[in-house]
Amino acid sequence: MTARRNFKRQVRARAAKTGESYTTALRHFRPTPSGDVMPEARNPKRVRLAVAQTPVREDPRDTEALRESGREVRALMREAGARGARIVHFPEGAICFPNKYVMSVDGPDAVGPADWDRCQWPVIQAELAAIADLAGELRLWTVVASVHRLTGPNRPHNSLYVISDRGEVVTRYDERLLSKTKVSYMYSPGVSPVTFDVDGVRFGCLLGMEIHYPELFAEYEELDVDCVLFSTSGTPGNIAAQAQGHAAVNSYWVSLSVPAQHSGTAPSGIVAPNGHWLARCPSDDSPSVAVANLDDSSEAAADAVTYARPWRREARAGIYAEHRVTDPRSEDRTAAF
């Protein structure tokens, strides 16, 4: 570990002296493997991302609460834009996270099938339309969660809308691996991953409890994403540690967006491909945004993007087969020393 720290210190010192990026300085200490292309030669990927935490309200019958949620989302969009963000990411339930008891036909003391006629759909749609208009005005890509209504009698999706900097919904991610209550009583599951590009950086979306499923994060690595946007209303387990683990294992950025009321244990934040936090919101329950540059030539990403991720792909492609041997001492598991 000491040798590793000394090596990085040397690279940083050269970068500071010459004004080079960390990756460019790294080239002078570590030769590029034959056939590899350094980030500078393949157009480095850079985009400025803001992750938000907002208060999440649980009663979709409450018109004023829905409107207040919309106002808070738009206020944080303006803050993100003022801080130079190209894309802003919001938590699950940013407009409303319908409570299972509020929605239950057997409620308020028992969970049963959700009655979606209780939802103030026109108000939700108006708030989302206002958010889309502001995204176009600010030229700010916006990823915001909401319930997506389907044709009756089908239950809605629990979704993330991806709104472009032109104010248009360009795609939508629907939660696929739902909790038992969600799938039993409330929502229709989604069927596929979703990716989209902003300034050459590819994003993927996950939602709800899906942080507990590493295969979904691995799926996005195979789809060549640079950053996964994960929105939740709060889920059991140490989601901050899991976000760091998924980022480090897959060598990409992970944006974790949570409700403001859960920020005391896991504030919203952005994890770099090396598993370290780049930026985090305050842990004081306040609505806020944290902003960071996703830059694959930065120190936080260079090693992971240039070396770790390509090597893991090569390792999974079956390169070990030609190196396997036939040897009785290999086959005999009880062979001593």
Side-chain angles (χ1 to χ4, degrees):
M1 290 299 291
T2 300
R4 182 67 173 164
R5 284 196 296 270
N6 289 338
F7 176 75
K8 288 190 171 185
R9 193 176 298 116
Q10 287 179 295
V11 178
R12 285 195 294 268
R14 178 185 171 88
K17 181 178 180 180
T18 64
E20 300 168 330
S21 71
Y22 181 85
T23 305
T24 302
L26 182 64
R27 297 178 67 180
H28 296 275
F29 293 88
R30 181 179 295 160
T32 304
S34 176
D36 285 357
V37 179
M38 293 301 290
E40 284 77 14
R42 58 163 175 75
N43 298 323
K45 297 180 178 181
R46 297 188 183 98
V47 75
R48 190 160 174 82
L49 168 68
V51 61
Q53 59 188 34
T54 58
V56 170
R57 298 169 175 87
E58 298 188 335
D59 190 347
R61 304 169 301 181
D62 189 335
T63 296
E64 183 50 39
L66 297 174
R67 289 176 176 155
E68 181 61 22
S69 290
R71 286 191 290 267
E72 288 169 345
V73 166
R74 292 188 290 276
L76 292 179
M77 289 172 65
R78 292 186 180 92
E79 181 180 343
R83 294 175 63 180
R86 280 285 286 138
I87 176 171
V88 62
H89 167 215
F90 286 92
E92 180 183 26
I95 302 300
C96 183
F97 185 67
N99 184 281
K100 58 189 177 183
Y101 292 104
V102 169
M103 301 303 293
S104 173
V105 296
D106 299 327
D109 300 317
V111 178
D115 177 7
W116 287 103
D117 288 337
R118 299 177 182 182
C119 189
Q120 290 292 323
W121 293 109
V123 180
I124 292 176
Q125 290 163 348
E127 294 305 317
L128 290 170
I131 288 167
D133 288 343
L134 183 60
E137 177 184 328
L138 298 174
R139 307 297 290 178
L140 178 69
W141 285 76
T142 301
V143 180
V144 62
S146 186
V147 179
H148 180 71
R149 194 176 192 178
L150 300 183
T151 306
N154 296 318
R155 296 171 182 164
H157 290 311
N158 185 37
S159 303
L160 281 171
Y161 290 106
V162 178
I163 303 169
S164 76
D165 60 356
R166 300 172 67 89
E168 302 166 344
V169 176
V170 295
T171 191
R172 188 192 71 250
Y173 177 72
D174 306 319
E175 185 181 6
R176 291 175 284 167
L177 297 183
L178 304 159
S179 70
K180 186 173 183 178
T181 296
K182 280 180 175 178
V183 76
S184 298
Y185 301 116
M186 301 187 74
Y187 298 104
S188 298
V191 296
S192 64
V194 163
T195 66
F196 65 98
D197 291 359
V198 178
D199 298 346
V201 176
R202 176 162 294 180
F203 291 88
C205 299
L206 292 173
L207 185 58
M209 292 184 65
E210 292 182 330
I211 200 164
H212 298 314
Y213 298 94
E215 63 270 26
L216 298 184
F217 288 84
E219 177 183 43
Y220 276 124
E221 195 282 332
E222 293 176 358
L223 291 172
D224 209 28
V225 305
D226 301 295
C227 178
V228 168
L229 307 175
F230 173 67
S231 298
T232 185
S233 62
T235 184
N238 190 334
I239 59 173
Q242 289 184 74
Q244 290 181 278
H246 291 310
V249 165
N250 293 291
S251 297
Y252 54 42
W253 287 270
V254 172
S255 179
L256 172 67
S257 185
V258 304
Q261 53 261 49
H262 294 308
S263 65
T265 55
S268 294
I270 300 166
V271 189
N274 62 6
H276 297 163
W277 290 102
L278 281 181
R280 303 190 82 176
C281 289
S283 55
D284 59 3
D285 298 348
S286 63
S288 57
V289 293
V291 183
N293 293 323
L294 311 190
D295 182 347
D296 67 3
S297 67
S298 66
E299 181 178 353
D303 281 358
V305 171
T306 307
Y307 298 103
R309 188 168 181 178
W311 172 249
R312 280 196 289 264
R313 287 182 170 183
E314 191 174 351
R316 290 172 176 140
I319 64 169
Y320 299 104
E322 64 181 278
H323 299 285
R324 293 182 183 134
V325 299
T326 300
D327 187 316
R329 286 187 56 79
S330 173
E331 297 166 0
D332 183 358
R333 303 291 179 183
T334 64
F337 318 116

